[in-house]
PDB file of all heavy atoms in Angstrom:
ATOM      1  N   ASP M   7       3.979 -10.268   3.126  1.00  0.00           N
ATOM      2  CA  ASP M   7       3.840 -10.770   4.500  1.00  0.00           C
ATOM      3  C   ASP M   7       4.483  -9.844   5.466  1.00  0.00           C
ATOM      4  O   ASP M   7       3.930  -9.649   6.590  1.00  0.00           O
ATOM      5  CB  ASP M   7       4.531 -12.145   4.566  1.00  0.00           C
ATOM      6  CG  ASP M   7       3.812 -13.250   3.788  1.00  0.00           C
ATOM      7  OD1 ASP M   7       2.553 -13.095   3.617  1.00  0.00           O
ATOM      8  OD2 ASP M   7       4.459 -14.197   3.402  1.00  0.00           O
ATOM      9  N   VAL M  10       2.044  -6.992   6.153  1.00  0.00           N
ATOM     10  CA  VAL M  10       0.921  -7.420   7.125  1.00  0.00           C
ATOM     11  C   VAL M  10       1.464  -7.427   8.537  1.00  0.00           C
ATOM     12  O   VAL M  10       0.820  -6.862   9.448  1.00  0.00           O
ATOM     13  CB  VAL M  10       0.431  -8.825   6.736  1.00  0.00           C
ATOM     14  CG1 VAL M  10      -0.515  -9.303   7.863  1.00  0.00           C
ATOM     15  CG2 VAL M  10      -0.349  -8.739   5.402  1.00  0.00           C
ATOM     16  N   VAL M  12       4.004  -5.657   9.760  1.00  0.00           N
ATOM     17  CA  VAL M  12       4.218  -4.262  10.207  1.00  0.00           C
ATOM     18  C   VAL M  12       2.860  -3.595  10.524  1.00  0.00           C
ATOM     19  O   VAL M  12       2.752  -2.939  11.638  1.00  0.00           O
ATOM     20  CB  VAL M  12       4.933  -3.412   9.120  1.00  0.00           C
ATOM     21  CG1 VAL M  12       4.876  -1.955   9.351  1.00  0.00           C
ATOM     22  CG2 VAL M  12       6.392  -3.907   8.959  1.00  0.00           C
ATOM     23  N   GLU M  14       0.121  -5.024  11.593  1.00  0.00           N
ATOM     24  CA  GLU M  14      -0.407  -5.567  12.857  1.00  0.00           C
ATOM     25  C   GLU M  14       0.421  -5.384  14.085  1.00  0.00           C
ATOM     26  O   GLU M  14      -0.081  -5.397  15.216  1.00  0.00           O
ATOM     27  CB  GLU M  14      -0.703  -7.109  12.598  1.00  0.00           C
ATOM     28  CG  GLU M  14      -1.760  -7.319  11.585  1.00  0.00           C
ATOM     29  CD  GLU M  14      -2.000  -8.817  11.339  1.00  0.00           C
ATOM     30  OE1 GLU M  14      -1.138  -9.693  11.735  1.00  0.00           O
ATOM     31  OE2 GLU M  14      -3.054  -9.126  10.796  1.00  0.00           O
ATOM     32  N   HIS M  15       1.729  -5.253  13.964  1.00  0.00           N
ATOM     33  CA  HIS M  15       2.635  -5.242  15.119  1.00  0.00           C
ATOM     34  C   HIS M  15       3.466  -3.959  15.351  1.00  0.00           C
ATOM     35  O   HIS M  15       4.191  -3.938  16.334  1.00  0.00           O
ATOM     36  CB  HIS M  15       3.531  -6.416  15.068  1.00  0.00           C
ATOM     37  CG  HIS M  15       2.891  -7.712  14.987  1.00  0.00           C
ATOM     38  ND1 HIS M  15       2.228  -8.303  16.097  1.00  0.00           N
ATOM     39  CD2 HIS M  15       2.597  -8.610  13.994  1.00  0.00           C
ATOM     40  CE1 HIS M  15       1.676  -9.450  15.786  1.00  0.00           C
ATOM     41  NE2 HIS M  15       1.877  -9.637  14.498  1.00  0.00           N
ATOM     42  N   ALA M  29      13.206  -3.252  12.014  1.00  0.00           N
ATOM     43  CA  ALA M  29      14.027  -4.340  11.337  1.00  0.00           C
ATOM     44  C   ALA M  29      14.359  -5.445  12.381  1.00  0.00           C
ATOM     45  O   ALA M  29      14.298  -6.663  11.997  1.00  0.00           O
ATOM     46  CB  ALA M  29      15.262  -3.745  10.749  1.00  0.00           C
ATOM     47  N   LEU M  32      11.323  -7.568  12.928  1.00  0.00           N
ATOM     48  CA  LEU M  32      11.083  -8.431  11.729  1.00  0.00           C
ATOM     49  C   LEU M  32      12.034  -9.575  11.673  1.00  0.00           C
ATOM     50  O   LEU M  32      11.666 -10.695  11.329  1.00  0.00           O
ATOM     51  CB  LEU M  32      11.202  -7.551  10.474  1.00  0.00           C
ATOM     52  CG  LEU M  32      10.016  -6.516  10.252  1.00  0.00           C
ATOM     53  CD1 LEU M  32      10.368  -5.552   9.141  1.00  0.00           C
ATOM     54  CD2 LEU M  32       8.711  -7.229  10.026  1.00  0.00           C
ATOM     55  N   ALA M  35      11.036 -12.061  14.059  1.00  0.00           N
ATOM     56  CA  ALA M  35       9.798 -12.827  13.618  1.00  0.00           C
ATOM     57  C   ALA M  35      10.131 -13.799  12.534  1.00  0.00           C
ATOM     58  O   ALA M  35       9.293 -14.585  12.124  1.00  0.00           O
ATOM     59  CB  ALA M  35       8.784 -11.821  13.088  1.00  0.00           C
ATOM     60  N   SER M  47      12.395  -0.212   2.627  1.00  0.00           N
ATOM     61  CA  SER M  47      12.616   0.756   1.554  1.00  0.00           C
ATOM     62  C   SER M  47      11.293   1.072   0.863  1.00  0.00           C
ATOM     63  O   SER M  47      10.956   2.258   0.598  1.00  0.00           O
ATOM     64  CB  SER M  47      13.635   0.225   0.545  1.00  0.00           C
ATOM     65  OG  SER M  47      13.773   1.074  -0.544  1.00  0.00           O
ATOM     66  N   TRP M  48      10.482   0.054   0.618  1.00  0.00           N
ATOM     67  CA  TRP M  48       9.131   0.301  -0.001  1.00  0.00           C
ATOM     68  C   TRP M  48       8.241   1.120   0.928  1.00  0.00           C
ATOM     69  O   TRP M  48       7.612   2.114   0.461  1.00  0.00           O
ATOM     70  CB  TRP M  48       8.451  -1.049  -0.279  1.00  0.00           C
ATOM     71  CG  TRP M  48       7.199  -0.945  -1.056  1.00  0.00           C
ATOM     72  CD1 TRP M  48       7.013  -0.971  -2.360  1.00  0.00           C
ATOM     73  CD2 TRP M  48       5.887  -0.757  -0.482  1.00  0.00           C
ATOM     74  NE1 TRP M  48       5.716  -0.824  -2.691  1.00  0.00           N
ATOM     75  CE2 TRP M  48       4.979  -0.675  -1.537  1.00  0.00           C
ATOM     76  CE3 TRP M  48       5.426  -0.675   0.833  1.00  0.00           C
ATOM     77  CZ2 TRP M  48       3.638  -0.500  -1.324  1.00  0.00           C
ATOM     78  CZ3 TRP M  48       4.074  -0.512   1.044  1.00  0.00           C
ATOM     79  CH2 TRP M  48       3.139  -0.399  -0.059  1.00  0.00           C
ATOM     80  N   PRO M  56       4.279  11.700  -1.454  1.00  0.00           N
ATOM     81  CA  PRO M  56       3.352  12.805  -1.375  1.00  0.00           C
ATOM     82  C   PRO M  56       4.027  14.172  -1.484  1.00  0.00           C
ATOM     83  O   PRO M  56       3.493  15.120  -1.991  1.00  0.00           O
ATOM     84  CB  PRO M  56       2.652  12.667  -0.042  1.00  0.00           C
ATOM     85  CG  PRO M  56       2.830  11.186   0.286  1.00  0.00           C
ATOM     86  CD  PRO M  56       4.080  10.775  -0.308  1.00  0.00           C
ATOM     87  N   MET M  63      -5.235  17.802  -7.871  1.00  0.00           N
ATOM     88  CA  MET M  63      -5.821  16.862  -8.810  1.00  0.00           C
ATOM     89  C   MET M  63      -7.207  17.381  -9.228  1.00  0.00           C
ATOM     90  O   MET M  63      -7.906  17.935  -8.455  1.00  0.00           O
ATOM     91  CB  MET M  63      -5.908  15.462  -8.192  1.00  0.00           C
ATOM     92  CG  MET M  63      -4.583  14.950  -7.649  1.00  0.00           C
ATOM     93  SD  MET M  63      -3.481  14.533  -8.976  1.00  0.00           S
ATOM     94  CE  MET M  63      -3.839  12.884  -9.223  1.00  0.00           C
ATOM     95  N   SER M  69     -13.234  14.347 -14.165  1.00  0.00           N
ATOM     96  CA  SER M  69     -12.115  13.746 -14.848  1.00  0.00           C
ATOM     97  C   SER M  69     -12.191  12.243 -14.887  1.00  0.00           C
ATOM     98  O   SER M  69     -12.913  11.632 -14.149  1.00  0.00           O
ATOM     99  CB  SER M  69     -10.785  14.153 -14.116  1.00  0.00           C
ATOM    100  OG  SER M  69     -10.814  13.575 -12.756  1.00  0.00           O
ATOM    101  N   ARG M  71      -9.380   8.931 -15.057  1.00  0.00           N
ATOM    102  CA  ARG M  71      -8.015   8.531 -14.958  1.00  0.00           C
ATOM    103  C   ARG M  71      -7.759   7.275 -15.780  1.00  0.00           C
ATOM    104  O   ARG M  71      -8.295   6.186 -15.491  1.00  0.00           O
ATOM    105  CB  ARG M  71      -7.647   8.305 -13.473  1.00  0.00           C
ATOM    106  CG  ARG M  71      -6.298   7.684 -13.210  1.00  0.00           C
ATOM    107  CD  ARG M  71      -5.120   8.483 -13.755  1.00  0.00           C
ATOM    108  NE  ARG M  71      -3.882   8.242 -13.095  1.00  0.00           N
ATOM    109  CZ  ARG M  71      -3.039   7.264 -13.489  1.00  0.00           C
ATOM    110  NH1 ARG M  71      -3.299   6.485 -14.543  1.00  0.00           N
ATOM    111  NH2 ARG M  71      -1.912   7.081 -12.879  1.00  0.00           N
ATOM    112  N   GLU M  77       1.076   0.589 -16.010  1.00  0.00           N
ATOM    113  CA  GLU M  77       0.149   0.408 -14.879  1.00  0.00           C
ATOM    114  C   GLU M  77      -0.790  -0.752 -15.224  1.00  0.00           C
ATOM    115  O   GLU M  77      -1.066  -1.616 -14.334  1.00  0.00           O
ATOM    116  CB  GLU M  77      -0.640   1.658 -14.515  1.00  0.00           C
ATOM    117  CG  GLU M  77       0.265   2.770 -14.052  1.00  0.00           C
ATOM    118  CD  GLU M  77      -0.400   4.124 -14.004  1.00  0.00           C
ATOM    119  OE1 GLU M  77      -1.372   4.349 -14.857  1.00  0.00           O
ATOM    120  OE2 GLU M  77      -0.001   4.954 -13.204  1.00  0.00           O
ATOM    121  N   LEU M  78      -1.319  -0.788 -16.395  1.00  0.00           N
ATOM    122  CA  LEU M  78      -2.236  -1.842 -16.819  1.00  0.00           C
ATOM    123  C   LEU M  78      -1.547  -3.224 -16.698  1.00  0.00           C
ATOM    124  O   LEU M  78      -2.182  -4.164 -16.264  1.00  0.00           O
ATOM    125  CB  LEU M  78      -2.674  -1.651 -18.244  1.00  0.00           C
ATOM    126  CG  LEU M  78      -3.761  -0.505 -18.438  1.00  0.00           C
ATOM    127  CD1 LEU M  78      -3.929  -0.197 -19.952  1.00  0.00           C
ATOM    128  CD2 LEU M  78      -5.076  -0.925 -17.847  1.00  0.00           C
ATOM    129  N   HIS M  86      -8.097  -2.968 -11.164  1.00  0.00           N
ATOM    130  CA  HIS M  86      -8.471  -1.697 -11.822  1.00  0.00           C
ATOM    131  C   HIS M  86      -9.850  -1.235 -11.233  1.00  0.00           C
ATOM    132  O   HIS M  86     -10.004  -0.152 -10.825  1.00  0.00           O
ATOM    133  CB  HIS M  86      -8.564  -1.802 -13.314  1.00  0.00           C
ATOM    134  CG  HIS M  86      -7.330  -2.285 -13.944  1.00  0.00           C
ATOM    135  ND1 HIS M  86      -7.281  -2.709 -15.255  1.00  0.00           N
ATOM    136  CD2 HIS M  86      -6.027  -2.448 -13.490  1.00  0.00           C
ATOM    137  CE1 HIS M  86      -6.069  -3.113 -15.605  1.00  0.00           C
ATOM    138  NE2 HIS M  86      -5.275  -2.964 -14.532  1.00  0.00           N
ATOM    139  N   GLY M  87     -10.793  -2.194 -11.343  1.00  0.00           N
ATOM    140  CA  GLY M  87     -12.145  -1.886 -10.871  1.00  0.00           C
ATOM    141  C   GLY M  87     -12.226  -1.623  -9.409  1.00  0.00           C
ATOM    142  O   GLY M  87     -12.974  -0.786  -8.916  1.00  0.00           O
ATOM    143  N   LEU M  89      -9.868  -0.280  -7.462  1.00  0.00           N
ATOM    144  CA  LEU M  89      -9.372   1.083  -7.235  1.00  0.00           C
ATOM    145  C   LEU M  89     -10.412   2.131  -7.626  1.00  0.00           C
ATOM    146  O   LEU M  89     -10.565   3.125  -6.905  1.00  0.00           O
ATOM    147  CB  LEU M  89      -8.039   1.343  -7.918  1.00  0.00           C
ATOM    148  CG  LEU M  89      -6.821   0.574  -7.427  1.00  0.00           C
ATOM    149  CD1 LEU M  89      -5.590   0.863  -8.232  1.00  0.00           C
ATOM    150  CD2 LEU M  89      -6.540   0.893  -5.930  1.00  0.00           C
ATOM    151  N   ALA M  95     -16.259   5.703  -4.075  1.00  0.00           N
ATOM    152  CA  ALA M  95     -16.891   5.683  -2.763  1.00  0.00           C
ATOM    153  C   ALA M  95     -16.296   6.793  -1.817  1.00  0.00           C
ATOM    154  O   ALA M  95     -16.782   6.859  -0.738  1.00  0.00           O
ATOM    155  CB  ALA M  95     -16.724   4.281  -2.173  1.00  0.00           C
ATOM    156  N   LEU M 125      -3.712  -4.797   0.091  1.00  0.00           N
ATOM    157  CA  LEU M 125      -2.678  -4.478   1.108  1.00  0.00           C
ATOM    158  C   LEU M 125      -1.987  -3.169   0.878  1.00  0.00           C
ATOM    159  O   LEU M 125      -1.673  -2.420   1.804  1.00  0.00           O
ATOM    160  CB  LEU M 125      -1.731  -5.655   1.188  1.00  0.00           C
ATOM    161  CG  LEU M 125      -2.197  -6.871   1.928  1.00  0.00           C
ATOM    162  CD1 LEU M 125      -1.245  -8.042   1.836  1.00  0.00           C
ATOM    163  CD2 LEU M 125      -2.426  -6.570   3.435  1.00  0.00           C
ATOM    164  N   MET M 129      -1.981  -0.010   3.413  1.00  0.00           N
ATOM    165  CA  MET M 129      -0.757   0.620   3.896  1.00  0.00           C
ATOM    166  C   MET M 129      -0.778   2.083   3.558  1.00  0.00           C
ATOM    167  O   MET M 129      -0.321   2.910   4.418  1.00  0.00           O
ATOM    168  CB  MET M 129       0.494  -0.052   3.348  1.00  0.00           C
ATOM    169  CG  MET M 129       0.682  -1.535   3.785  1.00  0.00           C
ATOM    170  SD  MET M 129       0.543  -1.785   5.554  1.00  0.00           S
ATOM    171  CE  MET M 129       2.025  -1.005   6.119  1.00  0.00           C
ATOM    172  N   LEU M 131      -3.465   4.042   3.265  1.00  0.00           N
ATOM    173  CA  LEU M 131      -4.428   4.665   4.204  1.00  0.00           C
ATOM    174  C   LEU M 131      -3.912   4.751   5.656  1.00  0.00           C
ATOM    175  O   LEU M 131      -4.049   5.711   6.292  1.00  0.00           O
ATOM    176  CB  LEU M 131      -5.804   3.948   4.201  1.00  0.00           C
ATOM    177  CG  LEU M 131      -6.586   3.987   2.884  1.00  0.00           C
ATOM    178  CD1 LEU M 131      -7.804   3.083   2.913  1.00  0.00           C
ATOM    179  CD2 LEU M 131      -6.947   5.421   2.512  1.00  0.00           C
ATOM    180  N   LEU M 142     -13.905  -2.082   6.264  1.00  0.00           N
ATOM    181  CA  LEU M 142     -12.904  -1.936   5.215  1.00  0.00           C
ATOM    182  C   LEU M 142     -11.548  -2.464   5.607  1.00  0.00           C
ATOM    183  O   LEU M 142     -10.948  -3.186   4.838  1.00  0.00           O
ATOM    184  CB  LEU M 142     -12.756  -0.422   4.756  1.00  0.00           C
ATOM    185  CG  LEU M 142     -11.684  -0.160   3.730  1.00  0.00           C
ATOM    186  CD1 LEU M 142     -12.044  -0.841   2.397  1.00  0.00           C
ATOM    187  CD2 LEU M 142     -11.539   1.329   3.572  1.00  0.00           C
ATOM    188  N   ILE M 153      -2.097 -14.443  -0.004  1.00  0.00           N
ATOM    189  CA  ILE M 153      -0.842 -13.988  -0.580  1.00  0.00           C
ATOM    190  C   ILE M 153       0.238 -15.040  -0.395  1.00  0.00           C
ATOM    191  O   ILE M 153       0.408 -15.551   0.717  1.00  0.00           O
ATOM    192  CB  ILE M 153      -0.459 -12.656   0.086  1.00  0.00           C
ATOM    193  CG1 ILE M 153      -1.461 -11.606  -0.342  1.00  0.00           C
ATOM    194  CG2 ILE M 153       1.003 -12.258  -0.282  1.00  0.00           C
ATOM    195  CD1 ILE M 153      -1.250 -10.282   0.290  1.00  0.00           C
TER     196      ILE M 153
END
Side-chain angles (χ1 to χ4, degrees):
D7 290 335
V10 170
V12 167
E14 292 179 343
H15 300 286
L32 291 167
S47 176
W48 186 91
M63 301 293 267
S69 65
R71 170 60 158 87
E77 294 167 334
L78 287 168
H86 304 166
L89 290 176
L125 282 171
M129 296 310 292
L131 293 174
L142 174 65
I153 293 177

